[in-house]
Amino acid sequence: MADQYEDVLYEKRDHIATITLNRPAARNALTGAMVDAVAQFAAEAEEDDDVRVVVVNANGDYFSVGLDKARTSPQDAPGIRRNRRKRFPEAAWKNWALGHLFQVAKPTIASVGGTCAGGGLTFALECDIRIASEQASFTTAFSRTGLPVYDAQGVLLPAAVGLSRAMELMYTSRVIGAEEAERIGLVSHVVPHDELADRTLSLAREIAAGPPIAHRLTKHLMQTPLRQEYDALLPYHLYAMHVNRTMGAHDLEEGIEAFFEKRPPEFTGLRGRKRSRHEGS
């Protein structure tokens, strides 16, 4: 793959590979092509014997706000119910591709300088170490649009912050700041914003100077339980997505409509489908 892709950049220097989300005008919202590119760059770094550490960062004021909702028009929201079977394979692919950073056997570092939400938080959680600037913020985001957790967050967030805090963050999609993220163990360090790049590079160089084979073995031993849990839960995550698109399609419609109308969603659950604001009287 070419070293430069329009919305995701890849650079290798001094045994450190850097994957950079590069869609700042769109708050680094993740398109399918970007998810694919991150997966391919992660695989490239994995196969390159000269790479000892992988850093994931982002250009602009946002790390990533997650999957790009702007690619779905509000008029398309009622079509979720009709097209759920067609859309499910695409969602399953994104679920699988989002796990590639977690599969990298080499040390990985997420350098978070701004908002980190949804799929963006998943990318950060898939890295071994997370460093945040004082301007960073974090949210799971799923429940705001009527979605269950359907990717590695279901395993990695409880591992990072404990089950109780993870459930609260999932249920509420509450936004937390960098200091709280450090306090609950979501990130390892919080640094001044203008020092984030230097502090990340310094840590990456320190790790890269260590024994690469021993580091890979250490990661394998420490992550084996999480990898087994992730692999075991993946089919259930996909099943949950299917059930939610079948029984909860009306809440997905409402979540998308509310997002574009910039209002709180009104979810109805099993009580039934709320009449769409785009339907006639």
Side-chain angles (χ1 to χ4, degrees):
M1 189 171 183
D3 284 349
Q4 301 298 320
Y5 166 71
E6 183 178 357
D7 293 333
V8 181
L9 308 179
Y10 183 81
E11 178 185 20
K12 187 184 75 172
R13 181 179 300 174
D14 299 330
H15 305 298
I16 300 167
T18 302
I19 300 172
T20 303
L21 304 179
N22 187 45
R23 201 177 173 224
R27 302 183 297 175
N28 289 316
L30 301 171
T31 64
M34 289 175 70
V35 173
D36 293 349
V38 171
Q40 292 185 53
F41 286 140
E44 183 174 331
E46 172 70 21
E47 295 170 2
D48 188 341
D49 290 338
D50 191 53
V51 172
R52 297 186 177 186
V53 179
V54 178
V55 172
V56 181
N57 62 16
N59 286 331
D61 296 329
Y62 296 81
F63 183 79
S64 174
V65 294
L67 296 179
D68 190 356
K69 299 181 187 67
R71 294 294 179 93
T72 303
S73 122
Q75 288 74 27
D76 291 337
I80 289 177
R81 181 183 296 274
R82 296 190 301 271
N83 298 328
R84 59 179 179 263
R85 292 182 181 176
K86 180 179 179 182
R87 294 167 60 89
F88 182 70
E90 177 185 356
W93 159 250
K94 287 179 179 177
N95 180 292
W96 181 78
L98 275 169
H100 268 60
L101 286 171
F102 184 54
Q103 303 300 327
V104 174
K106 300 173 182 180
T108 53
I109 303 172
S111 183
V112 182
T115 299
C116 184
L121 178 57
T122 300
F123 276 156
L125 283 166
E126 287 176 356
C127 294
D128 304 331
I129 300 168
R130 290 167 293 282
I131 301 177
S133 88
E134 56 198 358
Q135 296 182 17
S137 62
F138 303 84
T139 177
T140 61
F142 290 114
S143 66
R144 293 182 183 177
T145 50
L147 286 168
V149 58
Y150 63 84
D151 59 23
Q153 280 195 47
V155 172
L156 299 180
L157 186 60
V161 304
L163 182 60
S164 177
R165 287 193 175 105
M167 296 297 283
E168 179 184 345
L169 293 173
M170 286 292 179
Y171 289 152
T172 65
S173 289
R174 183 168 61 88
V175 178
I176 63 173
E179 290 187 3
E180 183 175 356
E182 183 181 30
R183 178 176 60 81
I184 66 176
L186 184 58
V187 302
S188 300
H189 306 286
V190 175
V191 302
H193 186 71
D194 58 1
E195 296 180 14
L196 178 62
D198 288 342
R199 294 283 290 273
T200 301
L201 181 59
S202 176
L203 178 59
R205 285 175 171 167
E206 181 180 354
I207 295 172
I213 296 176
H215 283 341
R216 292 184 64 150
L217 291 171
T218 293
K219 178 168 182 173
H220 175 75
L221 292 170
M222 295 182 69
Q223 284 200 340
T224 290
L226 286 178
R227 289 175 184 270
Q228 292 175 341
E229 186 177 354
Y230 175 77
D231 290 343
L233 284 180
L234 182 57
Y236 295 98
H237 284 312
L238 299 181
Y239 172 74
M241 290 166 59
H242 175 71
V243 171
N244 195 61
R245 287 186 179 277
T246 303
M247 299 181 63
H250 46 281
D251 278 347
L252 284 171
E253 295 171 15
E254 168 63 9
I256 291 176
E257 289 178 1
F259 172 80
F260 283 100
E261 294 171 7
K262 302 185 186 311
R263 60 173 175 81
E266 300 175 16
F267 297 126
T268 58
L270 293 177
R271 288 184 298 162
R273 178 176 177 273
K274 185 172 70 69
R275 189 174 182 82
S276 170
R277 295 166 188 262
H278 298 290
E279 293 177 357
S281 58

